[in-house]
Amino acid sequence: MLAGRLHVRDRELRMERVPVPEPGPGELLVKVAAAGVCLSDIHLIEGVLTPRLLEGDRVTLGHEVAGTVHVVGEGVTGRRAGDRVLLQAGEERGGAICTRGVDYDGGWAEYALATAHTAVPIPDDLPFEQACFIPDAVSTPWAAITATGGVRPAEAAGVWGVGGLGAHAVQLLRMIGAHPVVAVDPLPAARDRALEFGADLALDPAAPDLAERILAATGGHGLDAAFDFAGAAPVREQAVAVLARGTERARGGRLVLVGLTDGPLTITRGTAFTVGMQDVRGHYGSVFRHVVELVRLVRGGRVEFSRSVSGVLPLAEAPEAVERLRTKQGAPIRLVLSP
């Protein structure tokens, strides 16, 4: 079968023919229908991220995967050939959390292996190209908002970086009743998209009156929660400056770090941050229940992701998809590969 393989040592993505894997006990062989292309895949190819638990130096990329069960391994119950499923982006193995397409082979291929419990059933009316990126592109912002950020209805929230994750953050914040929802992005197309997805205000980070406009939109209160999806030091400084200050009854606003960076975290106005009783919270990924919750919300008609599919490319064109995402051609939310 055809697969997009990362040669970790030289950081080269190669489209190769490899054997179709066979499911062992407790496993499923899934015929891949759609696989998302994520910024994390770019980070792996460029060397920003390195697999920690990979056996060997080659891995099939792709942690966002949906398709149909093709072969059921020995001992598996509750799953049968033909079932429509998406695959969780990772699982615990030997006491460590391993990520699909990073620490073991993922879904940039015609077929993918999965431990049976990582296959989540999806409704018949959910297209594969929308289902595939619910793990990560949707579940990561969902977990950041509901778990790490703890956003409640009527709280003011800001999103810096309206790309693959940030666009969904805007949509999900709107769904849970945050108000106002403020989006910040340097790209005009991304700001327009943020408004389409439900932002009440979309701003250029270079705007000289950005802080004033955010404070005006929140009635002088500031943001209860600010989410950094860009992973950039200037973003964090800018977001901290418009966080709500604490009172006798409640702590101040919280900055939730979702975007990855190896740069130092600095807070210039440290005394104001401390006196304001503000928080910085790190966030990474999601857990199984977040994906299940989102599938339930899709099934119930509370949210849908058709606008998030920026393009569907044949699997053989994975390198082109990578380049389009790397250069932000067309400001994509999610590009999807289809074998």
Side-chain angles (χ1 to χ4, degrees):
M1 67 176 184
L2 184 65
R5 303 275 286 171
L6 174 64
H7 292 239
V8 178
R9 191 167 302 166
D10 58 13
R11 299 291 173 169
E12 184 178 349
L13 172 63
R14 302 179 190 172
M15 304 307 297
E16 300 177 340
R17 307 297 302 189
V18 298
V20 175
E22 296 184 6
E27 293 183 328
L28 303 170
L29 180 65
V30 174
K31 182 176 176 59
V32 177
V37 181
C38 177
L39 191 58
S40 295
D41 299 310
I42 310 298
H43 288 159
L44 284 164
I45 295 169
E46 294 181 342
V48 177
L49 295 177
T50 296
R52 296 184 302 108
L53 304 172
L54 176 66
E55 296 180 1
D57 65 349
R58 300 179 185 182
V59 65
T60 299
L61 294 177
H63 54 276
E64 299 179 339
V65 189
T68 55
V69 175
H70 189 65
V71 179
V72 177
E74 180 183 349
V76 174
T77 60
R79 296 287 181 269
R80 60 184 181 181
D83 284 353
R84 305 175 82 252
V85 296
L86 60 74
L87 302 183
Q88 296 275 7
E91 62 183 289
E92 183 176 338
R93 294 184 174 185
I97 299 299
C98 296
T99 301
R100 188 183 308 279
V102 179
D103 300 307
Y104 60 98
D105 285 341
W108 287 14
E110 295 177 63
Y111 295 90
L113 278 182
T115 306
H117 75 273
T118 66
V120 179
I122 58 175
D124 291 342
D125 58 354
L126 175 58
F128 289 118
E129 63 267 21
Q130 296 175 36
C132 69
F133 55 76
I134 289 178
D136 192 24
V138 188
S139 65
T140 293
W142 176 247
I145 290 165
T146 60
T148 305
V151 178
R152 299 184 297 274
E155 284 196 314
V159 174
W160 270 258
V162 193
L165 275 66
H168 293 122
V170 168
Q171 185 178 9
L172 296 168
L173 284 164
R174 177 86 179 198
M175 183 186 71
I176 68 168
H179 183 268
V181 176
V182 180
V184 183
D185 197 288
L187 298 178
R191 295 196 297 273
D192 290 342
R193 178 170 64 210
L195 294 172
E196 294 172 2
F197 275 49
D200 299 289
L201 183 65
L203 301 172
D204 186 332
D209 61 345
L210 180 139
E212 290 78 3
R213 293 185 67 181
I214 291 177
L215 291 173
T218 60
H221 173 73
L223 297 175
D224 296 294
F227 296 87
D228 169 23
F229 287 95
V235 161
R236 295 168 176 189
E237 290 281 0
Q238 194 171 66
V240 164
V242 291
L243 288 179
R245 293 175 59 82
T247 67
E248 293 180 356
R249 297 183 177 181
R251 292 191 59 82
R254 52 268 186 207
L255 171 62
V256 181
L257 309 181
V258 186
L260 300 177
T261 177
D262 287 329
L265 171 62
T266 59
I267 297 175
T268 303
R269 298 171 64 249
T271 299
F273 185 87
T274 300
V275 172
M277 296 184 288
Q278 296 161 337
D279 296 337
V280 176
R281 304 178 184 181
H283 179 83
Y284 183 77
S286 61
V287 297
F288 278 29
R289 67 176 175 85
H290 294 122
V291 173
V292 175
E293 288 170 352
L294 287 162
V295 172
R296 188 178 303 134
L297 289 168
V298 170
R299 182 178 284 112
R302 294 297 189 270
V303 65
E304 65 91 30
F305 305 113
S306 60
R307 295 174 297 178
S308 301
V309 182
S310 303
V312 179
L313 290 78
L315 173 62
E317 296 179 16
E320 179 183 337
V322 166
E323 184 63 15
R324 284 174 57 177
L325 180 59
R326 188 186 67 80
T327 59
K328 298 183 180 180
Q329 181 182 336
I333 299 177
R334 259 307 175 264
L335 296 172
V336 175
L337 300 175
S338 179

